[in-house]
């Protein structure tokens, strides 16, 4: 099976005589002379390409294939072969990019690679968080209030759970307890009404599974108020018990 030649902007990937001169730390004219001699002996082929020099005077560089570049470097300075390998890896990595990215500057490509790495990290973190939330929801007992739920989360200031949800407009404070804000009723919370020991009516907010996932994500994002003696670890009681059982 014939191996496909890498291309960049639709053209076969080559290396210029100027790049080879940089790799072997030699003068460009000396490299061109070596290419010409090897070509006369039928060992390599090259394509002359005009270029503008820094002084504005036109010049000519020779473009050669990957195979021929190794022949040339072996003739000039074999000790620089490792550098040539590294340079070809850079060229082939660039050729593997989408066409719109091939003409980006080095700084832009580095920034793009960094962004790609960050996106992979966030994807992994999202998968992890979803797994944690799903496990937590699967273990959720029916009838847990936000405070009861947060009792299983290491470090949460339980006295501030419901007041904080009121401040965030998720809950409403009433004379009989707490109620869900209308926008979140039957989504994050359900409600129960009951009589206390004094036969006085009370209202209690219960988390739905979606509400439990949301509250846990608030915990992991540092959006809940923590106790002063919190050890800085985001852990969950159910997971610790499962780990110890294992």
């Amino acid at each position: 099976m014939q191996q496909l030649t890498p291309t960049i902007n639709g053209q076969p990937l080559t290396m210029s005589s100027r790049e080879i001169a940089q790799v072997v730390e030699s003068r460009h004219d000396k490299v061109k002379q070596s290419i010409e001699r090897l070509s006369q002996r039928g060992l390599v082929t090259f394509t002359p390409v005009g270029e503008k020099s820094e002084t504005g005077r036109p010049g000519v560089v020779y473009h050669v294939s990957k195979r021929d570049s190794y022949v040339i470097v072996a003739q000039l300075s074999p000790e620089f072969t490792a550098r040539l390998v590294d340079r070809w890896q850079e060229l082939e990595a660039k050729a593997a990019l989408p066409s719109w990215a091939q003409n980006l500057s080095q700084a832009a490509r580095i920034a793009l690679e960094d962004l790609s790495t960050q996106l992979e990290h966030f994807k992994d973190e999202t998968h992890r968080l979803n797994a944690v939330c799903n496990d937590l929801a699967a273990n959720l007992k029916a009838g847990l209030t936000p405070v009861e739920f947060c009792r299983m989360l290491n470090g949460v200031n339980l006295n501030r759970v419901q007041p904080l949800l009121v401040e965030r407009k998720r809950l409403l404070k009433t004379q009989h307890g707490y109620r869900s804000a209308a926008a979140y009723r039957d989504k994050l919370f359900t409600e129960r009404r009951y009589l206390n020991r004094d036969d006085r009516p009370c209202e209690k907010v219960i988390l739905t599974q979606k509400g439990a996932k949301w509250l846990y994500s608030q915990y992991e994002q540092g959006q809940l108020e923590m106790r002063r003696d919190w050890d800085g670890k985001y852990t969950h009681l159910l997971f610790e018990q499962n780990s110890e059982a294992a």
Side-chain angles (χ1 to χ4, degrees):
M1 182 175 178
Q2 186 176 4
Q3 187 175 3
L4 295 178
T5 301
T7 61
I8 187 165
N9 294 329
Q11 299 298 320
L13 194 57
T14 61
M15 183 176 290
S16 72
S17 53
R18 194 171 298 283
E19 288 178 293
I20 294 174
Q22 293 172 351
V23 167
V24 299
E25 299 178 1
S26 179
R27 285 171 44 184
H28 184 218
D29 59 337
K30 296 293 185 184
V31 172
K32 289 173 63 176
Q33 288 172 8
S34 181
I35 293 175
E36 290 167 355
R37 286 196 297 270
L38 290 168
S39 176
Q40 289 169 1
R41 293 164 57 189
L43 298 177
V44 302
T45 60
F46 66 90
T47 303
V49 177
E51 67 163 6
K52 276 190 177 181
S53 66
E54 294 179 355
T55 60
R57 301 171 66 180
V60 176
V61 296
Y62 296 164
H63 282 256
V64 299
S65 67
K66 182 176 182 178
R67 176 262 180 199
D68 288 355
S69 72
Y70 283 106
V71 175
I72 295 162
V73 170
Q75 177 74 20
L76 289 165
S77 303
E79 67 270 23
F80 289 115
T81 303
R83 285 192 188 178
L84 185 66
V85 171
D86 292 341
R87 179 58 185 150
W88 271 107
Q89 287 179 345
E90 291 176 10
L91 291 173
E92 290 171 341
K94 183 178 179 182
L97 292 172
S99 58
W100 61 265
Q102 291 180 356
N103 293 323
L104 292 176
S105 67
Q106 180 67 15
R109 286 200 298 274
I110 291 173
L112 187 63
E113 289 171 2
D114 287 344
L115 180 59
S116 177
T117 300
Q118 291 179 36
L119 286 174
E120 287 300 319
H121 168 74
F122 288 132
K123 272 190 191 172
D124 292 342
E125 185 62 14
T126 298
H127 290 324
R128 186 191 69 79
L129 183 59
N130 283 338
V132 169
C133 289
N134 289 333
D135 190 19
L136 181 149
N139 286 283
L140 179 64
K141 296 179 181 178
L144 285 184
T145 67
V147 172
E148 290 168 338
F149 180 80
C150 286
R151 189 170 284 119
M152 297 187 295
L153 306 180
N154 178 52
V156 177
N157 183 345
L158 300 179
N159 293 327
R160 285 289 299 154
V161 173
Q162 293 186 129
L164 186 64
L165 294 178
V166 171
E167 293 169 16
R168 303 262 174 88
K169 302 187 184 305
R170 264 55 175 189
L171 297 183
L172 303 174
K173 181 75 172 73
T174 71
Q175 61 178 343
H176 302 304
Y178 292 92
R179 297 195 65 187
S180 171
Y184 304 102
R185 189 174 298 125
D186 298 326
K187 296 176 183 176
L188 301 182
F189 313 102
T190 59
E191 297 175 358
R192 288 186 185 172
R193 296 185 180 182
Y194 64 97
L195 298 178
N196 64 14
R197 294 178 180 178
D198 300 325
D199 290 332
R200 296 176 58 185
C202 293
E203 295 165 339
K204 180 163 63 171
V205 173
I206 304 299
L207 286 168
T208 63
Q209 285 199 347
K210 183 177 179 180
K213 291 183 180 182
W214 173 81
L215 191 54
Y216 187 81
S217 70
Q218 294 291 293
Y219 171 64
E220 281 225 328
Q221 293 168 23
Q223 298 299 310
L224 300 183
E225 292 192 19
M226 312 303 283
R227 300 194 310 266
R228 290 184 180 179
D229 62 350
W230 176 48
D231 60 9
K233 296 179 181 178
Y234 292 93
T235 56
H236 185 278
L237 181 60
L238 288 175
F239 301 145
E240 290 175 352
Q241 289 175 341
N242 291 340
S243 175
E244 290 173 2

